[in-house]
Amino acid sequence: MADETIGVVGAGIVGLATAREIALRRPGTRVVVFEKEQEVSLHQTGHNSGVVHAGLYYTPGSLKAALCVRGVSLLREYCQDRTLPYQEIGKLVVAVREDELGRMDSLYERARNNHVPDLRRISRDEIKELEPHAGGIAALHSPRTAITDYPAIAREFARDVTECGGEVRLGFQVTGITEAPGGIDVTSAADRVRVDRLILCAGLQSDTVAGLAQDRQEPRIVPFRGEYMLLRPDRTNLVRGLIYPVPDPRYPFLGVHFTPRVDGTVEVGPNAVLALAREGYRRTRISPRDLLGLAAYPGTWRMAARHWRTGIKEYRGSFSAAAFMKDAGHYVPGVGVRDVVRGGAGVRAQALDRDGTLVDDFRIHRVGRITAVRNAPSPAATASMAIAEHIADAALGDA
């Protein structure tokens, strides 16, 4: 209906892409985005590595795979139209040990089933042709994998929303969501807005905000901090494109890798350590409330019982640059502590089920006129425009 008001909670890239999609799809509909910060894209989007994933990793037929493949096409076209950065620098997924070759072959078949363009297996000598300083005994080469600037894209999405007559309300921290006969009341400490439908894209706070809307308790969000090193400016020439390890299928994390950025810097990382606050970008940031929430949730302890050895290794790398760079040195031999400085960090909103399972695909719940995005993992930024189509279909009843 053209006279509807549709609210979106969260001005990260997924929330803004969704608001934009609805505003374009339903001219005349009033779209209001509610964001607790004073700027858009300050959290997961603002700490993103900038990689546009081609679809190598995702289970064929999964929602994640389908949305990634479509999302890449939409994002590339959008960046070209808006003259936003989009550089196809390519990716190598490198096997450094014989026992990784089987997993690399399985990844190749998975990627082929996802129609990753121009993907090929390459030998040790071919690795050296592409990345003279890289190690490895074999690799997969994805030449169409790209890098971009996701905060810039998010800001452009926000501008699209306002140009369509919508509104991005900054500094509006949602404290209440109440269904009423005439719609849904979205409240903050100082204001109340009535909407007809509401979409929750709250990222690190997704389970908390969904609780305000009486959605189910699971999955819960467990924050994992990913810390980065930066190659020193005189060492960035050691890396031309993206260099990744063969992933461990037990974990949704991709391991320490080398990531050139559109600003010319090169990141090394990230690790994955349990953050002590939802927005714990620094080791010193501790939230007693967030810690109590983690401790009270059975899934936290079940996850810890399964993965404690990996957790200890990741924490060792967090406190020791030498330990952090030991893994990185397998992929670019000779790179060590003297070649890097401490970089930034991001926090991943990792969804966790009560049985301790790390949720690896999108979870979207609908509660009446409220649609809650409970898990939007990587490649959420890559797939943001396709995710927006999917959410709009669900929320508007078009699917």
Side-chain angles (χ1 to χ4, degrees), residues 15-303:
L16 290 168
T18 301
R20 173 185 178 274
E21 174 67 22
I22 292 170
L24 292 172
R25 186 182 294 197
R26 294 281 184 89
T29 295
R30 178 179 176 237
V31 179
V32 183
V33 181
F34 304 100
E35 169 56 47
K36 71 184 179 74
E37 305 293 356
Q38 297 298 330
E39 300 176 41
V40 304
S41 73
L42 277 190
H43 291 291
Q44 290 187 106
T45 305
H47 294 83
N48 192 287
S49 65
V51 177
V52 182
H53 292 282
L56 276 73
Y57 305 106
Y58 317 121
T59 302
S62 68
L63 186 57
K64 187 185 268 195
L67 295 179
C68 181
V69 171
R70 175 155 175 76
V72 170
S73 175
L74 293 171
L75 193 70
R76 183 193 306 115
E77 182 179 349
Y78 186 81
C79 288
Q80 290 170 348
D81 288 346
R82 305 301 175 97
T83 62
L84 293 165
Y86 191 95
Q87 302 170 18
E88 290 185 345
I89 62 172
K91 174 193 284 188
L92 288 180
V93 180
V94 179
V96 296
R97 302 188 311 270
E98 292 285 341
D99 62 3
E100 293 178 326
L101 294 176
R103 281 193 279 136
M104 191 187 79
D105 289 340
S106 296
L107 186 64
Y108 177 75
E109 292 304 321
R110 175 175 289 195
R112 276 171 51 93
N113 288 330
N114 288 335
H115 308 290
V116 173
D118 303 325
L119 183 73
R120 63 191 181 105
R121 295 186 183 95
I122 63 173
S123 66
R124 186 196 305 263
D125 290 340
E126 290 172 304
I127 292 173
K128 292 296 184 184
E129 291 174 9
L130 293 167
E131 293 283 357
H133 301 283
I137 58 176
L140 301 181
H141 181 219
S142 171
R144 301 288 293 278
T145 298
I147 56 175
T148 189
D149 183 341
Y150 285 117
I153 293 170
R155 290 191 293 270
E156 194 73 7
F157 286 168
R159 189 170 77 170
D160 291 342
V161 171
T162 58
E163 288 182 352
C164 288
E167 182 182 3
V168 179
R169 299 197 60 171
L170 301 175
F172 191 109
Q173 181 166 354
V174 175
T175 58
I177 297 171
T178 307
E179 291 213 46
I184 302 163
D185 287 335
V186 183
T187 57
S188 70
D191 205 353
R192 174 178 296 179
V193 177
R194 174 70 56 88
V195 300
D196 296 290
R197 308 192 208 194
L198 185 64
I199 301 168
L200 311 180
C201 300
L204 287 161
Q205 308 294 340
S206 61
D207 54 348
T208 302
V209 174
L212 297 176
Q214 307 304 309
D215 190 18
R216 67 190 77 168
Q217 292 187 343
E218 285 83 34
R220 295 282 185 89
I221 293 300
V222 176
F224 280 91
R225 186 173 61 253
E227 301 161 330
Y228 290 89
M229 298 288 186
L230 289 174
L231 286 182
R232 294 183 181 276
D234 62 337
R235 302 295 276 169
T236 57
N237 62 340
L238 295 176
V239 176
R240 295 176 177 177
L242 299 150
I243 302 175
Y244 278 58
V246 177
D248 186 332
R250 293 175 299 172
Y251 304 105
F253 310 106
L254 296 178
V256 170
H257 45 270
F258 290 80
T259 308
R261 303 293 301 264
V262 294
D263 64 3
T265 59
V266 177
E267 290 182 333
V268 187
N271 57 2
V273 297
L274 187 66
L276 303 182
R278 298 261 180 145
E279 297 166 10
Y281 302 107
R282 299 185 306 275
R283 285 196 295 263
T284 54
R285 174 73 190 280
I286 299 173
S287 166
R289 179 179 179 180
D290 292 345
L291 282 177
L292 285 172
L294 286 173
Y297 185 51
T300 304
W301 299 101
R302 290 166 181 154
M303 175 191 69

